[in-house]
Amino acid sequence: MSSLRRRRHVLAGLFVATGVLAAAVLWDVLGTVFFAITVAYVLYPVRKRLVERGLPRRVASAIATTVAFLAVVVLLAPIAATLFQRRGTVVALLNDLPAELPVELFGFVVTIDIGSVVEAATALLRSFAISVAADAIFIALQLALFVLVLYGLLLRPQAVGEAAFRITPPPYHDVVERLHERISGTLYALYVIQAATAVVTFPIALAVFYLLGYPDVFELAVVASILQFFPIVGPGVLAVGLAGYDLLIGMPQRAIGVIVLGPILVGLLPDVLLRPRLASSHAHLPASLYFVGFVGGVLTVGFIGIIAGPLVVAVLVEVVDLLGERESMGTE
């Protein structure tokens, strides 16, 4: 084995060992660091374009970081504030439900206990409000860490790529490039397309819920926008929940209206309007695999799985494609 190859192997092992050690030491903030890395992937073209226009790299990195910070605040602050301030409204809606619901099946009457479900949901909302208030300082520190890590990555974006190429043998550089393209396209789809779809969903949902006569249409529109980040399920689950609520309180006509208009106008229309315009050829991932990655990621690693799950599935798909290409080349 040549000295150069031995050096490459040693550096690769050192890189992996250091990464594992860093993950263990920084476990409590690993999610924040991960999100910063993925956002840097998406913002790198913006930073690159600013540098090409003549801006110093520090200024370009600071501008891109500020854009990301403002986007996080603009998107998440109203959602958190609405859920925190309007928890009383949600509790009041839950309390309006009847304690028991008699259902007749095959001549038998079955009574469904709704009161216990309402009590559990009310306790969950109250505990959520308390935890948000108690963790305010920790959340602020996490946001500051996110900004610092993101700025550092944008300041020297080539460092990681250069390290990856140096520890990877030259015949496999094309594999690194393919994985980079798949990761970049997938993160573009997860952040840019989903966020844009959520933003467009808000006014559409606001109009639909207002026309159907729902109270607190602003809060319902916010929830519908959040649900756009949930694959396959989406705002349709909100429409089903509202329809069930309307049936319980004796408003079947509005239930039919929301179950018809909700999935079509609120759930499907924003996706149809935006996805063809924003979709990248590198971001293609079947909805079924996206759903598997999303659910599996959330159940396994928690909130970070929203991005990590689909990303891992996308990388796996790319590796399978590479293996298929190698096999086909070998048989020719």
Side-chain angles (χ1 to χ4, degrees):
M1 180 182 296
S2 65
S3 59
L4 180 61
R5 183 178 301 178
R6 186 182 300 107
R7 175 182 172 83
R8 184 184 295 121
H9 290 169
V10 171
L11 289 176
L14 182 62
F15 174 77
V16 172
T18 306
V20 172
L21 180 61
V25 174
L26 304 175
W27 183 257
D28 288 340
V29 295
L30 187 61
T32 303
V33 174
F34 173 80
F35 278 119
I37 294 172
T38 56
V39 172
Y41 245 101
V42 177
L43 286 180
Y44 172 70
V46 177
R47 183 260 192 197
K48 182 179 179 182
R49 191 167 301 176
L50 291 174
V51 172
E52 291 174 350
R53 290 180 177 271
L55 289 177
R57 60 188 183 92
R58 292 183 181 275
V59 176
S61 302
I63 293 175
T65 303
T66 303
V67 169
F69 174 78
L70 294 177
V72 170
V73 172
V74 169
L75 289 175
L76 296 185
I79 295 173
T82 299
L83 294 178
F84 181 76
Q85 295 176 358
R86 294 290 182 172
R87 65 191 185 281
T89 303
V90 178
V91 172
L93 289 174
L94 293 173
N95 290 331
D96 289 339
L97 295 174
E100 295 180 347
L101 177 65
V103 178
E104 184 175 353
L105 295 173
F106 306 107
F108 297 94
V109 177
V110 179
T111 302
I112 301 176
D113 183 15
I114 300 179
S116 59
V117 178
V118 171
E119 291 178 0
T122 302
L124 181 62
L125 287 173
R126 289 172 179 169
S127 64
F128 169 76
I130 294 173
S131 63
V132 169
D135 294 339
I137 297 178
F138 180 71
I139 293 173
L141 291 175
Q142 294 270 42
L143 188 58
L145 177 64
F146 170 82
V147 171
L148 291 174
V149 174
L150 178 60
Y151 175 76
L153 291 171
L154 290 175
L155 188 61
R156 296 190 59 192
Q158 294 88 1
V160 178
E162 291 175 357
F165 275 107
R166 286 179 180 177
I167 65 176
T168 304
Y172 298 96
H173 283 181
D174 64 319
V175 175
V176 176
E177 293 176 354
R178 286 279 297 273
L179 293 178
H180 164 72
E181 292 175 0
R182 171 67 74 166
I183 292 172
S184 179
T186 302
L187 291 175
Y188 176 84
L190 291 173
Y191 281 118
V192 178
I193 296 179
Q194 294 300 113
T197 304
V199 170
V200 173
T201 298
F202 178 79
I204 297 176
L206 198 68
V208 170
F209 294 138
Y210 176 78
L211 293 175
L212 291 174
Y214 282 100
D216 300 311
V217 293
F218 182 86
E219 289 75 16
L220 291 176
V222 169
V223 173
S225 299
I226 297 173
L227 289 174
Q228 283 290 9
F229 289 92
F230 291 76
I232 297 180
V233 178
V237 69
L238 177 61
V240 173
L242 291 174
Y245 175 82
D246 288 337
L247 290 175
L248 291 175
I249 63 175
M251 299 184 66
Q253 294 181 346
R254 192 169 72 176
I256 295 174
V258 73
I259 202 67
V260 172
L261 298 179
I264 296 176
L265 296 182
V266 181
L268 185 61
L269 183 60
D271 196 67
V272 172
L273 291 175
L274 284 178
R275 190 169 294 275
R277 299 175 183 272
L278 298 178
S280 168
S281 59
H282 300 294
H284 177 68
L285 185 66
S288 58
L289 292 179
Y290 178 37
F291 181 75
V292 170
F294 180 92
V295 174
V298 171
L299 293 178
T300 304
V301 295
F303 183 74
I304 192 177
I306 294 176
I307 302 298
L311 186 60
V312 169
V313 172
V315 172
L316 177 62
V317 170
E318 187 64 32
V319 172
V320 171
D321 290 343
L322 286 169
L323 287 173
E325 292 175 3
R326 295 291 183 182
E327 292 294 333
S328 62
M329 292 173 58
T331 56
E332 291 179 357

